[in-house]
Amino acid sequence: MRKIILMISVSLDGFFEGPDREIDWHLVDDEVHTYFNDRLRTMGGFIHGRVTYQLMADFWPTADSDPANAGPMAEFAGIWRDMPKTVYSRTLAEAGWNTTIEREVDPDRIRALKARPGGDLVVGGPDLARSFARHDLIDAYEISVHPVLIGAGRPLFPSGERMSPRPLRLTGTRTFGNGVVVLRHEHV
């Protein structure tokens, strides 16, 4: 059975975006971008929330047509465009680039999707990820910790949000020259 993996970047102090939704503090150089391209091209699909999907759709479909986006960035444009995508949204009327719209997180439908053949599925977007976690649908957490303190913003795991404790085991790490560290944890 394929897995659902949360892949997301956070600051060292646990924020996935700054107070004004900024992510300009992400340290994604060619080494980091190449690693993610290699990981993502083997996946079976991307699962996005609406906000994440629209951020991706506003840039990646044509990013490789800009000469300034050569190398790993241009390569990722093709990966994103070609990969099957599911976007969860109650308001989005249409979506392009090999994308299916789902209105609600239905755990039974997601378990059926996991049972289909193909590569693992990547969930992106913190709000959607929390919904998946509440339904115990995330099998692995691949968190990229960037060596920066931003002091404020939206935390990946907000305080006060109750979840049942789930033991995790560290199944991999990767350290990059720019100080980014990827931590991969899976359910025990």
Side-chain angles (χ1 to χ4, degrees):
M1 181 173 293
R2 54 192 183 168
K3 295 179 180 180
I4 292 181
I5 302 167
L6 170 60
M7 294 179 79
I8 196 163
S9 291
V10 298
S11 63
L12 187 61
D13 48 353
F15 299 102
F16 67 87
E17 65 183 11
D20 296 317
R21 303 197 90 151
E22 66 272 14
I23 59 171
D24 56 349
W25 50 267
H26 285 192
L27 299 171
V28 182
D29 58 14
D30 282 353
E31 180 189 20
V32 171
H33 216 298
T34 298
Y35 168 82
F36 282 110
N37 287 353
D38 292 346
R39 287 280 296 128
L40 294 170
R41 84 167 42 86
T42 66
M43 298 294 171
F46 296 143
I47 302 170
H48 295 308
R50 182 193 53 80
V51 172
T52 299
Y53 174 80
Q54 287 182 312
L55 286 171
M56 301 295 276
D58 285 347
F59 181 76
W60 289 111
T62 59
D64 53 353
S65 65
D66 182 345
N69 297 330
M73 283 188 69
E75 183 182 5
F76 181 73
I79 293 168
W80 188 85
R81 225 181 5 250
D82 296 342
M83 186 69 64
K85 291 169 280 303
T86 302
V87 59
Y88 284 84
S89 173
R90 292 182 187 99
T91 60
L92 197 61
E94 60 182 41
W97 305 287
N98 201 15
T99 303
T100 302
I101 298 173
E102 291 285 341
R103 299 296 178 200
E104 300 288 332
V105 174
D106 179 339
D108 292 330
R109 286 182 65 145
I110 295 165
R111 286 184 196 98
L113 181 64
K114 286 174 59 172
R116 291 184 196 156
D120 291 337
L121 304 166
V122 177
V123 64
D127 296 330
L128 182 63
R130 284 194 293 277
S131 178
F132 272 50
R134 280 192 297 276
H135 292 292
D136 199 26
L137 296 169
I138 298 177
D139 302 296
Y141 294 81
E142 204 162 304
I143 311 297
S144 298
V145 181
H146 294 248
V148 61
L149 301 171
I150 63 172
R154 290 185 63 201
L156 179 57
F157 301 108
S159 64
E161 190 167 306
R162 301 282 302 166
M163 289 179 38
S164 299
R166 289 287 314 265
L168 302 171
R169 74 181 191 296
L170 181 66
T171 59
T173 63
R174 173 77 188 259
T175 303
F176 297 93
N178 66 5
V180 171
V181 177
V182 175
L183 303 170
R184 181 181 170 102
H185 289 83
E186 296 185 36
H187 289 284
V188 176

Coordinates of all heavy atoms in Angstrom, one line a residue, residues 21-99:
R21 N 2.4 35.6 5.6 CA 2.4 34.4 4.7 C 3.7 34.3 3.9 O 3.8 33.6 2.9 CB 1.2 34.4 3.7 CG -0.1 34.4 4.5 CD -1.2 34.1 3.6 NE -1.4 32.6 3.8 CZ -2.5 32.0 3.6 NH1 -3.6 32.6 3.3 NH2 -2.5 30.7 3.8
E22 N 4.8 35.0 4.3 CA 6.0 35.0 3.5 C 6.8 33.7 3.7 O 6.7 33.1 4.8 CB 6.9 36.2 3.8 CG 7.4 36.3 5.2 CD 6.5 37.0 6.2 OE1 5.3 37.2 5.9 OE2 6.9 37.3 7.3
I23 N 7.4 33.3 2.7 CA 8.3 32.1 2.7 C 9.6 32.4 2.1 O 10.4 31.5 1.7 CB 7.6 30.8 2.1 CG1 7.3 31.1 0.6 CG2 6.4 30.4 2.8 CD1 6.9 29.9 -0.2
D24 N 9.9 33.7 2.0 CA 11.2 34.1 1.4 C 12.4 33.7 2.2 O 13.6 33.8 1.8 CB 11.2 35.6 1.1 CG 11.0 36.4 2.4 OD1 10.6 35.9 3.4 OD2 11.2 37.6 2.3
W25 N 12.2 33.2 3.4 CA 13.3 32.7 4.3 C 13.7 31.2 4.0 O 14.7 30.8 4.5 CB 12.9 32.8 5.8 CG 11.6 32.2 6.1 CD1 10.4 32.9 6.1 CD2 11.3 30.9 6.4 NE1 9.3 32.0 6.4 CE2 9.9 30.8 6.6 CE3 12.0 29.7 6.5 CZ2 9.2 29.6 6.9 CZ3 11.4 28.5 6.8 CH2 10.0 28.5 7.0
H26 N 12.9 30.6 3.1 CA 13.3 29.2 2.7 C 14.7 29.2 2.0 O 14.9 30.1 1.2 CB 12.3 28.6 1.7 CG 11.0 28.2 2.3 ND1 10.1 27.5 1.7 CD2 10.5 28.4 3.6 CE1 9.1 27.2 2.5 NE2 9.3 27.8 3.6
L27 N 15.5 28.3 2.4 CA 16.9 28.2 1.8 C 16.9 27.0 0.8 O 17.3 25.9 1.2 CB 17.9 28.0 2.9 CG 18.0 29.1 4.0 CD1 18.9 28.7 5.1 CD2 18.5 30.4 3.3
V28 N 16.4 27.3 -0.4 CA 16.3 26.2 -1.4 C 17.3 26.6 -2.5 O 17.1 27.3 -3.4 CB 14.9 26.1 -1.9 CG1 14.9 25.0 -3.0 CG2 13.9 25.9 -0.8
D29 N 18.5 26.0 -2.3 CA 19.6 26.1 -3.4 C 19.5 24.9 -4.3 O 18.6 24.1 -4.2 CB 20.9 26.3 -2.7 CG 21.4 25.1 -1.9 OD1 20.7 24.0 -1.9 OD2 22.3 25.3 -1.1
D30 N 20.4 24.9 -5.3 CA 20.3 23.8 -6.3 C 20.4 22.4 -5.6 O 19.8 21.4 -6.0 CB 21.4 23.9 -7.3 CG 21.1 25.0 -8.4 OD1 19.9 25.5 -8.3 OD2 21.9 25.3 -9.2
E31 N 21.3 22.3 -4.6 CA 21.4 21.0 -3.9 C 20.1 20.5 -3.3 O 19.7 19.4 -3.5 CB 22.5 21.0 -2.8 CG 22.7 19.7 -2.1 CD 23.6 19.8 -0.9 OE1 23.8 21.0 -0.4 OE2 24.1 18.8 -0.5
V32 N 19.4 21.4 -2.6 CA 18.2 21.1 -1.9 C 17.1 20.8 -3.0 O 16.3 19.8 -2.9 CB 17.7 22.2 -1.0 CG1 16.3 22.0 -0.4 CG2 18.7 22.3 0.2
H33 N 17.0 21.7 -4.0 CA 16.0 21.5 -5.0 C 16.2 20.2 -5.8 O 15.2 19.5 -6.1 CB 16.0 22.7 -6.0 CG 14.7 23.1 -6.5 ND1 13.9 22.3 -7.2 CD2 14.0 24.3 -6.3 CE1 12.7 23.0 -7.5 NE2 12.8 24.1 -6.9
T34 N 17.4 19.9 -6.1 CA 17.7 18.6 -6.8 C 17.2 17.4 -5.9 O 16.6 16.4 -6.4 CB 19.1 18.5 -7.1 OG1 19.5 19.5 -8.0 CG2 19.5 17.1 -7.8
Y35 N 17.5 17.5 -4.6 CA 17.0 16.4 -3.7 C 15.5 16.2 -3.8 O 15.0 15.1 -3.9 CB 17.5 16.7 -2.3 CG 16.8 15.8 -1.3 CD1 17.3 14.5 -1.0 CD2 15.7 16.2 -0.6 CE1 16.7 13.7 -0.1 CE2 15.1 15.4 0.4 CZ 15.6 14.2 0.6 OH 15.0 13.3 1.5
F36 N 14.8 17.4 -3.7 CA 13.3 17.3 -3.7 C 12.8 16.8 -5.1 O 11.9 16.0 -5.1 CB 12.7 18.6 -3.3 CG 12.8 18.8 -1.8 CD1 13.6 19.7 -1.2 CD2 12.0 17.9 -1.0 CE1 13.6 19.8 0.2 CE2 12.0 18.0 0.4 CZ 12.9 19.0 1.0
N37 N 13.4 17.3 -6.1 CA 13.0 16.8 -7.5 C 13.2 15.3 -7.5 O 12.3 14.6 -8.0 CB 13.9 17.4 -8.6 CG 13.5 18.9 -8.8 OD1 12.5 19.4 -8.2 ND2 14.3 19.5 -9.6
D38 N 14.3 14.8 -7.1 CA 14.6 13.3 -7.1 C 13.5 12.6 -6.3 O 13.1 11.5 -6.6 CB 16.0 13.0 -6.6 CG 17.1 13.4 -7.6 OD1 16.7 13.8 -8.7 OD2 18.2 13.5 -7.2
R39 N 13.2 13.1 -5.1 CA 12.1 12.5 -4.2 C 10.8 12.5 -4.9 O 10.0 11.6 -4.9 CB 12.1 13.2 -2.9 CG 13.2 13.0 -2.0 CD 13.1 11.6 -1.2 NE 12.0 11.6 -0.3 CZ 11.1 10.6 -0.3 NH1 11.2 9.6 -1.1 NH2 10.1 10.6 0.5
L40 N 10.4 13.7 -5.4 CA 9.0 13.9 -5.9 C 8.7 13.3 -7.2 O 7.6 12.9 -7.4 CB 8.8 15.4 -5.9 CG 8.7 16.1 -4.6 CD1 8.7 17.6 -4.7 CD2 7.6 15.6 -3.7
R41 N 9.7 13.1 -8.1 CA 9.4 12.5 -9.4 C 9.0 11.1 -9.3 O 8.4 10.5 -10.2 CB 10.6 12.7 -10.4 CG 11.7 11.7 -10.3 CD 12.7 11.7 -11.4 NE 13.0 13.0 -11.9 CZ 14.1 13.8 -11.3 NH1 14.8 13.3 -10.4 NH2 14.3 14.9 -11.8
T42 N 9.3 10.4 -8.2 CA 8.9 9.0 -8.0 C 7.5 8.9 -7.3 O 7.0 7.7 -7.2 CB 9.9 8.3 -7.1 OG1 9.9 8.8 -5.8 CG2 11.3 8.4 -7.7
M43 N 6.9 10.0 -6.9 CA 5.6 9.9 -6.2 C 4.5 9.6 -7.2 O 4.6 9.8 -8.4 CB 5.4 11.3 -5.5 CG 6.4 11.6 -4.5 SD 6.3 10.5 -3.1 CE 7.8 11.0 -2.2
G44 N 3.4 9.2 -6.6 CA 2.2 8.9 -7.4 C 1.2 10.0 -7.5 O 0.3 10.0 -8.3
G45 N 1.4 11.1 -6.7 CA 0.5 12.3 -6.8 C 0.8 13.3 -5.7 O 1.3 12.9 -4.7
F46 N 0.3 14.5 -6.0 CA 0.4 15.6 -5.0 C -1.0 15.8 -4.5 O -2.0 15.8 -5.3 CB 0.9 16.9 -5.6 CG 2.3 16.8 -6.1 CD1 2.6 17.5 -7.3 CD2 3.3 16.1 -5.4 CE1 3.9 17.5 -7.7 CE2 4.6 16.1 -5.9 CZ 4.9 16.8 -7.1
I47 N -1.2 16.0 -3.2 CA -2.5 16.3 -2.6 C -2.3 17.7 -1.9 O -1.4 17.9 -1.1 CB -2.8 15.3 -1.5 CG1 -2.9 13.9 -2.2 CG2 -4.2 15.7 -0.9 CD1 -3.1 12.8 -1.1
H48 N -3.0 18.7 -2.4 CA -2.9 20.1 -2.0 C -4.2 20.6 -1.4 O -5.3 20.2 -1.8 CB -2.6 21.0 -3.2 CG -1.3 20.8 -3.9 ND1 -0.1 20.7 -3.2 CD2 -1.0 20.6 -5.2 CE1 0.9 20.5 -4.1 NE2 0.4 20.5 -5.3
G49 N -4.0 21.5 -0.4 CA -5.2 22.3 -0.1 C -5.3 23.4 -1.1 O -4.4 23.7 -1.9
R50 N -6.4 24.2 -1.1 CA -6.6 25.2 -2.1 C -5.5 26.3 -2.1 O -5.0 26.6 -3.2 CB -8.0 25.9 -1.9 CG -8.2 26.9 -3.0 CD -9.4 27.8 -2.6 NE -9.3 28.5 -1.3 CZ -8.6 29.6 -1.1 NH1 -7.9 30.1 -2.0 NH2 -8.6 30.1 0.1
V51 N -5.1 26.8 -1.0 CA -4.1 27.9 -0.9 C -2.8 27.4 -1.5 O -2.2 28.0 -2.4 CB -3.9 28.4 0.5 CG1 -2.8 29.4 0.6 CG2 -5.2 29.1 1.0
T52 N -2.3 26.2 -1.1 CA -1.1 25.7 -1.6 C -1.2 25.4 -3.1 O -0.3 25.8 -3.9 CB -0.7 24.4 -0.9 OG1 -0.5 24.7 0.5 CG2 0.6 23.8 -1.4
Y53 N -2.3 24.8 -3.5 CA -2.5 24.6 -5.0 C -2.4 25.9 -5.8 O -1.8 25.9 -6.8 CB -3.9 23.9 -5.2 CG -4.1 23.7 -6.7 CD1 -3.5 22.7 -7.4 CD2 -5.0 24.6 -7.4 CE1 -3.8 22.6 -8.8 CE2 -5.2 24.5 -8.7 CZ -4.6 23.5 -9.4 OH -4.8 23.4 -10.8
Q54 N -3.1 26.9 -5.3 CA -3.2 28.1 -6.1 C -1.8 28.8 -6.1 O -1.4 29.4 -7.1 CB -4.2 29.1 -5.6 CG -5.6 28.6 -5.9 CD -6.7 29.5 -5.5 OE1 -6.8 29.9 -4.3 NE2 -7.6 29.8 -6.4
L55 N -1.0 28.7 -5.0 CA 0.4 29.2 -5.0 C 1.2 28.5 -6.1 O 2.0 29.1 -6.8 CB 1.0 29.1 -3.6 CG 0.5 30.1 -2.6 CD1 1.1 29.7 -1.2 CD2 0.9 31.5 -2.9
M56 N 1.1 27.1 -6.1 CA 1.8 26.3 -7.0 C 1.3 26.6 -8.5 O 2.2 26.8 -9.4 CB 1.6 24.9 -6.7 CG 2.1 24.4 -5.3 SD 3.8 24.6 -5.0 CE 4.4 23.1 -5.7
A57 N 0.0 26.7 -8.7 CA -0.5 26.9 -10.0 C -0.2 28.3 -10.6 O -0.2 28.5 -11.8 CB -2.0 26.7 -10.0
D58 N 0.0 29.2 -9.7 CA 0.4 30.6 -10.2 C 1.8 30.7 -10.7 O 2.1 31.6 -11.4 CB 0.2 31.6 -9.0 CG -1.3 31.9 -8.8 OD1 -2.1 31.6 -9.6 OD2 -1.5 32.5 -7.7
F59 N 2.6 29.7 -10.4 CA 4.1 29.8 -10.7 C 4.6 28.7 -11.6 O 5.2 28.9 -12.6 CB 4.9 30.0 -9.5 CG 6.4 30.1 -9.8 CD1 6.9 31.3 -10.3 CD2 7.3 29.1 -9.6 CE1 8.2 31.5 -10.6 CE2 8.6 29.2 -9.9 CZ 9.1 30.4 -10.4
W60 N 4.3 27.4 -11.1 CA 5.0 26.3 -11.7 C 4.6 25.9 -13.1 O 5.5 25.4 -13.9 CB 4.9 25.1 -10.8 CG 5.8 25.3 -9.6 CD1 5.4 25.5 -8.3 CD2 7.2 25.4 -9.5 NE1 6.4 25.8 -7.5 CE2 7.6 25.7 -8.2 CE3 8.2 25.3 -10.5 CZ2 8.9 25.9 -7.8 CZ3 9.5 25.5 -10.1 CH2 9.9 25.8 -8.8
P61 N 3.4 26.0 -13.6 CA 3.1 25.6 -14.9 C 3.9 26.1 -16.0 O 4.2 25.5 -17.0 CB 1.6 26.0 -15.1 CG 1.1 26.0 -13.7 CD 2.2 26.5 -12.9
T62 N 4.4 27.4 -15.9 CA 5.2 28.0 -16.9 C 6.6 28.4 -16.4 O 7.3 29.1 -17.2 CB 4.4 29.2 -17.5 OG1 4.2 30.2 -16.4 CG2 3.1 28.9 -18.1
A63 N 7.0 28.0 -15.3 CA 8.2 28.4 -14.7 C 9.4 28.0 -15.6 O 10.4 28.8 -15.6 CB 8.4 27.8 -13.3
D64 N 9.3 26.9 -16.3 CA 10.4 26.5 -17.1 C 10.6 27.3 -18.4 O 11.5 27.1 -19.1 CB 10.4 25.0 -17.4 CG 9.1 24.5 -18.0 OD1 8.1 25.3 -18.0 OD2 9.0 23.3 -18.3
S65 N 9.6 28.1 -18.7 CA 9.7 29.0 -19.9 C 10.5 30.2 -19.6 O 10.9 30.9 -20.6 CB 8.3 29.3 -20.4 OG 7.7 30.1 -19.5
D66 N 10.8 30.5 -18.4 CA 11.6 31.7 -18.0 C 13.1 31.2 -17.9 O 13.4 30.4 -17.1 CB 11.1 32.2 -16.7 CG 11.9 33.5 -16.2 OD1 13.0 33.8 -16.7 OD2 11.4 34.1 -15.3
P67 N 14.0 31.8 -18.7 CA 15.4 31.4 -18.6 C 16.0 31.6 -17.2 O 17.0 30.9 -16.9 CB 16.1 32.3 -19.6 CG 15.0 32.8 -20.5 CD 13.8 32.8 -19.7
A68 N 15.5 32.5 -16.4 CA 16.0 32.7 -15.1 C 15.8 31.5 -14.2 O 16.4 31.3 -13.1 CB 15.4 33.9 -14.4
N69 N 14.9 30.6 -14.6 CA 14.5 29.4 -13.8 C 15.1 28.1 -14.4 O 14.5 27.1 -14.5 CB 13.0 29.3 -13.7 CG 12.4 30.4 -13.0 OD1 13.0 31.0 -12.1 ND2 11.1 30.7 -13.3
A70 N 16.4 28.2 -14.7 CA 17.1 27.0 -15.3 C 17.3 26.0 -14.2 O 17.1 26.2 -13.0 CB 18.4 27.5 -15.9
G71 N 17.9 24.8 -14.6 CA 18.3 23.8 -13.7 C 17.2 23.1 -12.9 O 16.1 22.9 -13.5
P72 N 17.4 22.9 -11.6 CA 16.4 22.2 -10.9 C 15.0 22.9 -10.8 O 14.0 22.2 -10.8 CB 17.0 22.2 -9.5 CG 18.4 22.4 -9.6 CD 18.6 23.2 -10.9
M73 N 14.9 24.2 -10.9 CA 13.6 24.9 -10.9 C 12.9 24.5 -12.2 O 11.7 24.2 -12.1 CB 13.8 26.4 -10.8 CG 14.1 26.8 -9.4 SD 14.1 28.6 -9.1 CE 12.3 28.9 -9.3
A74 N 13.5 24.6 -13.3 CA 12.9 24.3 -14.6 C 12.4 22.8 -14.6 O 11.3 22.5 -15.0 CB 13.8 24.6 -15.8
E75 N 13.3 22.0 -14.0 CA 12.9 20.5 -13.9 C 11.7 20.3 -13.1 O 10.8 19.5 -13.4 CB 14.1 19.8 -13.4 CG 14.0 18.3 -13.3 CD 15.1 17.6 -12.7 OE1 16.1 18.2 -12.2 OE2 15.1 16.3 -12.7
F76 N 11.6 21.0 -12.0 CA 10.4 20.8 -11.1 C 9.2 21.3 -11.8 O 8.1 20.7 -11.5 CB 10.6 21.5 -9.7 CG 9.4 21.3 -8.9 CD1 9.2 20.1 -8.3 CD2 8.5 22.3 -8.7 CE1 8.1 19.8 -7.5 CE2 7.3 22.1 -7.9 CZ 7.1 20.8 -7.3
A77 N 9.2 22.3 -12.6 CA 8.0 22.8 -13.3 C 7.4 21.6 -14.1 O 6.2 21.4 -14.0 CB 8.4 23.9 -14.3
G78 N 8.2 20.8 -14.8 CA 7.7 19.6 -15.5 C 7.1 18.6 -14.6 O 6.1 17.9 -14.8
I79 N 7.8 18.3 -13.5 CA 7.4 17.3 -12.5 C 6.0 17.7 -12.0 O 5.1 16.9 -11.9 CB 8.4 17.2 -11.3 CG1 9.7 16.6 -11.8 CG2 7.8 16.3 -10.2 CD1 10.9 16.7 -10.8
W80 N 5.9 19.0 -11.6 CA 4.6 19.5 -11.0 C 3.5 19.4 -12.0 O 2.4 18.9 -11.7 CB 4.7 20.9 -10.4 CG 3.5 21.3 -9.7 CD1 3.2 21.0 -8.4 CD2 2.3 22.0 -10.2 NE1 1.9 21.5 -8.0 CE2 1.4 22.1 -9.1 CE3 2.0 22.5 -11.4 CZ2 0.2 22.7 -9.3 CZ3 0.8 23.1 -11.6 CH2 -0.1 23.2 -10.5
R81 N 3.8 19.9 -13.2 CA 2.7 19.9 -14.3 C 2.2 18.5 -14.6 O 1.0 18.3 -14.8 CB 3.4 20.6 -15.5 CG 2.6 21.6 -16.2 CD 3.2 22.1 -17.4 NE 4.4 21.6 -17.9 CZ 5.6 22.2 -17.9 NH1 5.7 23.4 -17.4 NH2 6.7 21.6 -18.3
D82 N 3.1 17.6 -14.7 CA 2.7 16.2 -15.1 C 2.2 15.3 -14.1 O 1.5 14.4 -14.4 CB 4.0 15.5 -15.8 CG 4.5 16.2 -17.0 OD1 3.7 17.0 -17.6 OD2 5.6 16.0 -17.4
M83 N 2.5 15.6 -12.8 CA 2.0 14.8 -11.7 C 0.5 14.9 -11.5 O 0.0 16.0 -11.5 CB 2.8 15.2 -10.4 CG 2.5 14.3 -9.2 SD 3.3 12.7 -9.3 CE 5.0 13.1 -9.4
P84 N -0.1 13.7 -11.3 CA -1.6 13.8 -10.9 C -1.7 14.6 -9.6 O -0.9 14.4 -8.7 CB -2.0 12.3 -10.7 CG -1.0 11.5 -11.5 CD 0.3 12.3 -11.4
K85 N -2.7 15.4 -9.5 CA -2.9 16.2 -8.3 C -4.3 16.2 -7.9 O -5.2 16.1 -8.7 CB -2.5 17.7 -8.6 CG -1.0 18.0 -8.8 CD -0.7 19.3 -9.4 CE -0.9 19.5 -10.8 NZ -0.2 18.6 -11.7
T86 N -4.5 16.2 -6.6 CA -5.8 16.4 -6.0 C -5.8 17.6 -5.1 O -4.9 17.8 -4.4 CB -6.2 15.2 -5.1 OG1 -6.1 14.0 -5.8 CG2 -7.6 15.3 -4.5
V87 N -6.8 18.5 -5.3 CA -6.9 19.7 -4.5 C -8.2 19.7 -3.7 O -9.2 19.3 -4.3 CB -6.8 21.0 -5.4 CG1 -7.8 21.1 -6.4 CG2 -6.8 22.2 -4.5
Y88 N -8.1 19.9 -2.4 CA -9.2 19.9 -1.6 C -9.7 21.4 -1.4 O -8.9 22.2 -0.9 CB -8.9 19.3 -0.2 CG -8.9 17.8 -0.3 CD1 -7.7 17.2 -0.7 CD2 -10.0 17.1 0.0 CE1 -7.7 15.8 -0.8 CE2 -10.0 15.7 -0.1 CZ -8.8 15.1 -0.5 OH -8.8 13.7 -0.6
S89 N -10.9 21.6 -1.9 CA -11.4 23.0 -1.8 C -12.9 23.0 -1.9 O -13.5 22.2 -2.7 CB -10.9 23.8 -3.0 OG -11.5 25.1 -3.1
R90 N -13.6 23.8 -1.1 CA -15.0 23.9 -1.2 C -15.4 25.0 -2.2 O -16.5 25.2 -2.6 CB -15.6 24.3 0.2 CG -15.5 23.1 1.1 CD -16.1 23.5 2.5 NE -15.9 22.4 3.4 CZ -14.9 22.4 4.4 NH1 -14.1 23.5 4.5 NH2 -14.7 21.4 5.2
T91 N -14.4 25.9 -2.6 CA -14.7 27.0 -3.4 C -14.1 27.0 -4.8 O -14.6 27.7 -5.7 CB -14.2 28.3 -2.7 OG1 -12.8 28.2 -2.5 CG2 -14.9 28.5 -1.3
L92 N -13.1 26.3 -5.0 CA -12.4 26.3 -6.3 C -13.4 25.7 -7.4 O -13.9 24.6 -7.2 CB -11.1 25.5 -6.2 CG -10.1 25.6 -7.3 CD1 -9.6 27.1 -7.4 CD2 -8.9 24.7 -7.1
A93 N -13.6 26.5 -8.4 CA -14.5 26.0 -9.5 C -13.9 25.1 -10.5 O -14.5 24.2 -11.0 CB -15.1 27.2 -10.2
E94 N -12.6 25.3 -10.8 CA -11.9 24.5 -11.8 C -10.5 24.5 -11.5 O -9.9 25.4 -10.8 CB -12.2 24.9 -13.2 CG -11.8 26.3 -13.5 CD -12.1 26.8 -14.9 OE1 -13.2 26.5 -15.4 OE2 -11.2 27.4 -15.5
A95 N -9.8 23.5 -12.0 CA -8.3 23.3 -11.8 C -7.8 22.6 -13.0 O -8.4 21.7 -13.6 CB -8.0 22.5 -10.5
G96 N -6.6 23.1 -13.4 CA -6.0 22.5 -14.6 C -4.8 21.6 -14.2 O -4.6 21.3 -13.1
W97 N -4.0 21.3 -15.2 CA -2.8 20.6 -15.0 C -2.9 19.3 -14.3 O -2.3 19.0 -13.3 CB -1.7 21.5 -14.3 CG -1.5 22.7 -15.1 CD1 -0.9 22.9 -16.3 CD2 -2.0 24.0 -14.7 NE1 -0.9 24.2 -16.7 CE2 -1.6 24.9 -15.7 CE3 -2.7 24.5 -13.6 CZ2 -1.9 26.3 -15.7 CZ3 -3.0 25.8 -13.6 CH2 -2.6 26.7 -14.6
N98 N -3.8 18.4 -14.8 CA -3.9 17.1 -14.3 C -4.4 17.0 -12.8 O -3.9 16.3 -12.0 CB -2.6 16.3 -14.4 CG -2.7 14.8 -14.4 OD1 -3.8 14.3 -14.6 ND2 -1.6 14.2 -14.2
T99 N -5.4 17.9 -12.5 CA -5.9 18.1 -11.2 C -7.3 17.7 -11.0 O -8.2 18.1 -11.8 CB -5.7 19.5 -10.7 OG1 -4.3 19.9 -10.9 CG2 -6.1 19.8 -9.3

